[in-house]
Amino acid sequence: MVQTFTADVLVVGGGTGGTAAAVQAARCGAKTVLVSEFTWLGGMLTSAGVSAPDGNELAAFQTGLWGEFLRSLQQRQPGGLHNSWVSMFSFDPRVGAKIFASWVQELPNLHWISERVPIEVLRSSDRILGVRFADFTVHAQITLDATELGDLLPLAEIPYRWGWEMQSEFGEPSAPNSPNHLSEKYPVQAPTWVAIMQDFGEGASPKIENPIPPTSLKNEGFENPFVGAWDNYGWENFLNYGRLPGGLLMINWPVCGNDYGEGVGRLVESEAARHEFLQESLWHTQSFVHFIQTQLGRLGLAENIFPESSINNSTIQNSSRLKKEGDKIQNRTGAYALHPYYRESRRLVGLATVREQDILPGVGQVAPLRVNAAGEVQAIALGNYPNDHHYPNTNFLVKPKSLRWGGRWTGTPFTIPYSCLIPASVDGFLVCEKNISVSHIANGATRLQPIVMNIGQAAGMAAALCVQRGCQPRDLPVRVLQEALLQDKQAASAIIPLFNMPPDRPDWLHWQRYYLNNPEAYPKNGNCPFTKDWELGIGEEEKVLPSPSPAPSPQSFFTGIFQRRAEQDYTITVGDEQAWNAIALSPEVDQALQTCKDQQRLCFWGHLNLSGNWLVVEKILHNQLPQQVKS
């Protein structure tokens, strides 16, 4: 007998966006059902193994559920988050999975069902009514597609994009003028099957067997695709790229590494074709870690990181033909992620589409705010990651969108409009993963974990508001959604990118609202003009709403000599003449570093990152030693 559930909100897919959407909808009181394919929640951040996230690293952008997640990591992760050079925050994926599970378990109105995939989308005319799975059906007022590859879109016959858009379609400066070898060979960015390795010491690491390579690798015309993987970096930098706490190493390497895109179009052709691609992708990573071990020694596969599982088991359980092949894709070591890190999926054709122009800086340091015909700002989430595309053995250059801030390179900020979550002509439905309405080119910046998490939060909030108001997503006033996000008591989320406005400032909400009301005044440099006149106009109700700032992680006291190499390029020489790159994430420290004099002696609190050779400066004391150090 097929069981039937009735819910206000149904979220299909337990990845980064889906978990955030389900948690936010349930926190708003909606009766929510979350159905995930895997036994871990969190997707890219956990079950896909990419526990070194990119983007939204500046203090002002650590808001919403992303900020809450960082605070939880800082409290729970032994050894701290300053471990790798690819990310400002790296953590054990098991810790992340526990955080997401705890969020869900705290909500009695959120029912989570794992190890299931959608089979049929229930639709009546232009209205989505729910989804059928193998052994149950869920009827819901609002259904959210949070799957890794946008699987509900074809099932619901909702128009979507897959592949590149030519320059004639959106006028994007980095799009090709016509189809070419790259766009035809790689219709989407290459996924990566992540593995976790560990240094076991000389002669102690278990041997990694080399699997039979996929046929496609044999046809490449060279014996080993991994030769030269770290030649331009050195093996130490290669290993430190994704270093995690506890001596773990995340293997997610783009240069002659484990990105895999041969026949990537098979992911959306059929169950059998997807299964075939997944098998090859896993083989490719297994071959890579075997190569690493043979070249560097000592390193072996880490143990018991991910749950022991049959890769893609939910697909296998629905295919009698694939059951015979299931033993070929077993994850018995616990070192391989539960699924690949998908950088791109099917992409909704929505009411609006995020294009490359929408993520690039205008005449200043920020992308212009997107407004509708009535002059209303459409933003519901923000990101700042540079536009990054992955195609094996190819260096595809896009128009740059980076700047130096806080002594380091970061991405220029941009916003995501609510309308790119809504189908052009279907009701009862939202998307909240990499499947938003976005061009192939712009997806290189919108696909990152922090922004997807806050897109999911906005989608979950929108779904709950639609249930409360008895309206469809397309009829929900965007300002109502924006106010709900700004005033959320547990995870207030910034909408307007402002470099110098972290969420712990008492005027945070005032400035967020001010630029929503006056988008023409949005500063081109992304900084608020603090004046007494403006601060005097802040009402008391606006001083108590922002979310708390991230809890400080353990810090150390340092003294050293400050050197100014160039604008926004600093070092501090500490102790035995060791020079560290000095960087900041908070606007107060960024401003202080800009005013420090060359060769000035500094006293400060901060964190060392040995992998990146940098010091994260948390608070400058100048020449004043803290009392406990004086004594």
Side-chain angles (χ1 to χ4, degrees):
M1 179 178 177
V2 176
Q3 190 172 4
T4 299
F5 297 97
T6 300
D8 296 326
V9 177
L10 166 63
V11 180
V12 182
T16 303
T19 303
V23 167
Q24 186 64 63
R27 286 181 178 179
C28 290
K31 182 181 178 182
T32 305
V33 173
L34 169 62
V35 183
S36 67
E37 183 174 356
F38 303 100
T39 55
W40 273 11
L41 295 172
M44 295 183 281
L45 290 164
T46 54
S47 55
V50 191
S51 53
D54 291 308
N56 289 45
E57 80 285 13
L58 304 184
F61 305 153
Q62 295 177 24
T63 69
L65 288 177
W66 165 241
E68 183 178 345
F69 181 65
L70 282 182
R71 291 191 293 274
S72 296
L73 282 174
Q74 289 165 344
Q75 294 166 359
R76 296 192 187 203
Q77 177 60 70
L81 307 180
H82 299 273
N83 306 286
S84 71
W85 61 261
V86 70
S87 172
M88 296 302 301
F89 321 104
S90 59
F91 57 94
D92 189 318
R94 292 170 292 190
V95 175
K98 289 178 181 177
I99 291 172
F100 290 127
S102 68
W103 286 2
V104 169
Q105 292 161 2
E106 291 168 357
L107 294 163
N109 57 326
L110 174 51
H111 181 38
W112 173 30
I113 305 170
S114 65
E115 298 186 277
R116 298 293 188 277
V117 293
I119 294 175
E120 177 188 7
V121 172
L122 309 180
R123 175 171 173 167
S124 176
S125 185
D126 290 330
R127 175 82 178 273
I128 303 302
L129 303 174
V131 177
R132 181 173 68 86
F133 301 86
D135 51 353
F136 63 91
T137 297
V138 182
H139 296 279
Q141 295 185 50
I142 307 292
T143 298
L144 280 68
D145 184 352
T147 58
E148 292 292 334
L149 291 169
D151 289 337
L152 292 192
L153 298 176
L155 288 175
E157 298 183 346
I158 295 174
Y160 63 87
R161 300 180 177 96
W162 173 266
W164 298 57
E165 293 85 20
M166 298 300 105
Q167 196 169 103
S168 59
E169 184 159 357
F170 295 127
E172 296 174 300
S174 302
N177 291 317
S178 59
N180 55 36
H181 175 71
L182 181 63
S183 66
E184 291 176 355
K185 183 173 184 179
Y186 300 119
V188 295
Q189 294 191 62
T192 303
W193 207 309
V194 171
I196 306 294
M197 300 187 76
Q198 187 172 350
D199 188 344
F200 287 89
E202 289 295 340
S205 59
K207 183 179 180 181
I208 302 173
E209 299 294 336
N210 189 23
I212 300 172
T215 303
S216 54
L217 287 182
K218 295 179 181 178
N219 294 334
E220 284 295 313
F222 45 79
E223 290 186 4
N224 196 320
F226 311 121
V227 172
W230 50 81
D231 283 359
N232 294 327
Y233 296 85
W235 65 266
E236 296 97 337
N237 279 333
F238 163 71
L239 296 179
N240 287 334
Y241 172 87
R243 186 172 289 277
L244 308 179
L248 300 176
L249 304 166
M250 178 192 72
I251 306 302
N252 171 29
W253 185 251
V255 183
C256 299
N258 51 331
D259 287 3
Y260 187 75
E262 297 301 318
V264 68
R266 290 175 290 172
L267 285 171
V268 297
E269 289 176 2
S270 66
E271 277 190 5
R274 182 186 295 192
H275 180 89
E276 181 181 70
F277 178 87
L278 293 176
Q279 174 67 88
E280 292 178 13
S281 180
L282 180 57
W283 267 334
H284 187 69
T285 291
Q286 289 171 336
S287 295
F288 187 41
V289 296
H290 169 78
F291 174 79
I292 294 170
Q293 186 179 65
T294 61
Q295 297 297 305
L296 301 180
R298 300 176 61 99
L299 301 175
L301 291 171
E303 298 175 343
N304 303 315
I305 303 297
F306 302 99
E308 189 174 289
S309 67
S310 174
I311 302 301
N312 207 31
N313 57 1
S314 51
T315 296
I316 293 172
Q317 73 180 7
N318 292 320
S319 173
S320 58
R321 188 188 70 77
L322 293 179
K323 284 179 182 177
K324 300 175 183 178
E325 303 178 7
D327 289 341
K328 295 181 182 178
I329 314 185
Q330 296 294 316
N331 180 20
R332 298 301 186 195
T333 69
Y336 296 103
L338 298 181
H339 58 91
Y341 168 33
Y342 296 108
R343 293 182 174 86
E344 192 168 353
S345 77
R346 301 176 182 92
R347 307 183 306 277
L348 174 73
V349 176
L351 292 176
T353 300
V354 178
R355 312 155 302 164
E356 185 181 20
Q357 301 94 308
D358 301 316
I359 64 173
L360 295 174
V363 296
Q365 297 185 139
V366 292
L369 297 178
R370 192 162 178 169
V371 298
N372 61 13
E376 299 170 319
V377 176
Q378 297 299 290
I380 46 83
L382 63 86
N384 76 319
Y385 193 66
N387 202 354
D388 179 32
H389 281 243
H390 284 240
Y391 312 101
N393 305 310
T394 301
N395 186 18
F396 177 70
L397 299 177
V398 295
K399 195 172 178 63
K401 55 173 302 296
S402 298
L403 77 159
R404 289 194 70 85
W405 192 97
R408 61 186 291 273
W409 284 103
T410 188
T412 55
F414 57 91
T415 59
I416 298 294
Y418 175 49
S419 48
C420 76
L421 279 58
I422 307 171
S425 59
V426 176
D427 286 329
F429 190 85
L430 288 165
V431 296
C432 61
E433 250 288 342
K434 295 174 288 288
N435 55 355
I436 64 172
S437 185
V438 60
S439 73
H440 168 75
I441 295 293
N443 171 77
T446 64
R447 64 178 173 81
L448 279 303
Q449 305 91 336
I451 189 170
V452 170
M453 181 177 285
N454 283 350
I455 288 171
Q457 179 179 6
M461 182 75 82
L465 289 171
C466 287
V467 171
Q468 293 171 11
R469 298 167 68 96
C471 70
Q472 290 299 321
R474 71 184 64 252
D475 300 321
L476 177 68
V478 68
R479 187 56 186 264
V480 171
L481 175 56
Q482 291 165 341
E483 283 293 330
L485 291 167
L486 289 171
Q487 298 187 60
D488 187 80
K489 289 181 170 50
Q490 195 160 343
S493 183
I495 293 169
I496 305 296
L498 296 165
F499 288 109
N500 60 344
M501 184 55 64
D504 58 342
R505 279 193 59 106
D507 48 352
W508 177 84
L509 181 60
H510 166 78
W511 286 107
Q512 290 287 313
R513 283 174 168 166
Y514 177 76
Y515 291 119
L516 286 176
N517 293 331
N518 303 278
E520 72 285 352
Y522 181 49
K524 294 179 175 59
N525 63 4
N527 290 303
C528 284
F530 298 125
T531 67
K532 290 183 178 180
D533 289 339
W534 285 118
E535 291 174 356
L536 287 173
I538 301 169
E540 286 301 317
E541 76 281 0
E542 295 177 307
K543 293 184 178 181
V544 297
L545 293 174
S547 62
S549 59
S553 50
Q555 304 173 13
S556 298
F557 173 74
F558 297 91
T559 62
I561 303 300
F562 175 84
Q563 294 96 33
R564 182 183 302 278
R565 294 189 295 198
E567 185 178 358
Q568 287 287 354
D569 186 3
Y570 324 114
T571 64
I572 296 179
T573 302
V574 177
D576 58 354
E577 302 302 316
Q578 171 69 53
W580 301 86
N581 295 316
I583 65 175
L585 299 182
S586 75
E588 293 81 10
V589 176
D590 170 58
Q591 288 296 314
L593 290 177
Q594 291 185 53
T595 61
C596 287
K597 297 178 180 179
D598 188 49
Q599 303 303 313
Q600 177 180 346
R601 181 178 177 83
L602 291 184
C603 302
F604 59 94
W605 292 101
H607 307 85
L608 275 177
N609 184 310
L610 301 179
S611 294
N613 190 40
W614 66 62
L615 259 169
V616 181
V617 181
E618 297 285 352
K619 184 176 182 180
I620 294 179
L621 305 172
H622 297 286
N623 292 318
Q624 300 301 313
L625 295 176
Q627 189 62 43
Q628 60 265 40
V629 176
K630 288 181 179 179
S631 61

